[in-house]
Amino acid sequence: MAEPRPTFGHPPAAAASAAAPAAPLDLPAPAASSSPSAAAPPARQADLWRARRFGSLRVIGQLHATYIVCESPEGLILIDQHAAHERIFFEALKARRAGQSSQPSQRLLVPETVELGFREAQLLEGLLPRLAALGLEIEPFGGNTFAVKSVPAMLAEGEIRPLITALVEKMAETGLAPDVPAALDDCLIVIACHGAIRAHQTLSPAQIQSLLDQLDACDNPSHCPHGRPTWIQWSVRFLEKSFKRLA
């Protein structure tokens, strides 16, 4: 049988019976923003997504604790939970940076120290004011060591040291000055990636529903900040042809 060819970029239609409202996932709901998102899809996406439909899909379950399986009138939809959560987190951070929302931060009971090389320490020091505006409060702690004092609430359960290292590595890789908008977007992408739920992470029905509802609020729900699709769809017609129900 030929490999299924999923469709990309067209919104799923609302399912006949929507799931009941669920308790929120530990995520801030992103505020609406008119600013362009990273890796934006074609302009026609703006028209396609005026009606929000993820929250109305019938959730079937999880596949390999990585993909959310949903049913729509058009067919079968798979949602990459990590990519979708990345998009939600990224847009929430962008809204905070633009002053359109005030997402909570969590102060660490014991500041976490991170030691860097000389060049990396210089790069991080140039980023400190902008990271503080995102809720990531870091202060010099002598030499090339820094103390992380608070983090965005969505990062409170994550590992801090790998995040700081990844931020510095991204700045060194791009070679951009810390105040260049593209460099700041790169930082947001790194933070969103580290804060997002992972593949192979089991979610409760309430968490899945909350994720779908918050994806509906995104400016660009179809792509993660890296440009990967957050969902794909197989039509009923394709499935019926694959099972030879149709000629």
Side-chain angles (χ1 to χ4, degrees):
M1 186 178 78
E3 284 292 321
R5 289 183 231 168
T7 57
F8 300 83
H10 296 280
S17 58
L25 193 65
D26 291 333
L27 281 174
S33 169
S34 59
S35 58
S37 299
R44 67 189 186 90
Q45 285 276 17
D47 295 328
L48 292 174
W49 284 102
R50 284 179 184 171
R52 306 302 191 180
R53 298 190 175 109
F54 286 106
S56 298
L57 296 173
R58 187 175 79 84
V59 177
I60 299 171
Q62 276 183 290
L63 177 65
H64 294 295
T66 298
Y67 304 100
I68 300 169
V69 185
C70 299
E71 175 190 346
S72 78
E74 283 86 2
L76 179 70
I77 292 174
L78 292 184
I79 297 170
D80 183 326
Q81 64 193 39
H82 174 72
H85 199 181
E86 261 191 315
R87 167 52 59 180
I88 292 166
F89 197 0
F90 176 76
E91 292 200 9
L93 290 169
K94 287 202 80 169
R96 175 165 181 157
R97 187 182 76 181
Q100 297 168 344
S101 72
S102 54
Q103 303 297 347
S105 297
Q106 181 162 323
R107 198 158 189 84
L108 302 181
L109 291 176
V110 179
E112 183 160 349
T113 57
V114 180
E115 187 171 356
L116 302 171
F118 176 75
R119 180 167 179 261
E120 289 77 11
Q122 285 186 314
L123 289 171
L124 180 59
E125 193 156 4
L127 275 175
L128 295 185
R130 290 155 188 85
L131 294 178
L134 300 174
L136 189 55
E137 184 185 354
I138 306 172
E139 294 182 355
F141 198 64
N144 297 328
T145 303
F146 294 82
V148 182
K149 294 193 169 184
S150 64
V151 297
M154 294 165 67
L155 289 172
E157 301 301 320
E159 295 186 49
I160 306 302
R161 191 172 285 105
L163 168 63
I164 304 304
T165 301
L167 282 169
V168 174
E169 287 176 350
K170 175 56 71 173
M171 290 299 299
E173 175 189 321
T174 60
L176 297 173
D179 57 348
V180 174
L184 299 180
D185 276 350
D186 284 339
C187 289
L188 298 189
I189 292 172
V190 171
I191 296 171
C193 185
H194 278 256
I197 54 178
R198 317 307 294 180
H200 312 299
Q201 181 174 341
T202 301
L203 303 178
S204 69
Q207 288 176 317
I208 290 173
Q209 188 61 48
S210 181
L211 184 71
L212 298 180
D213 290 339
Q214 292 182 61
L215 193 59
D216 274 334
C218 290
D219 288 340
N220 175 8
S222 291
H223 297 81
C224 80
H226 302 284
R228 294 193 301 109
T230 58
W231 62 277
I232 58 177
Q233 175 176 263
W234 286 269
S235 69
V236 172
R237 179 174 177 80
F238 178 82
L239 294 173
E240 290 182 338
K241 287 182 69 175
S242 298
F243 284 104
K244 303 194 182 298
R245 288 178 174 271
L246 296 177

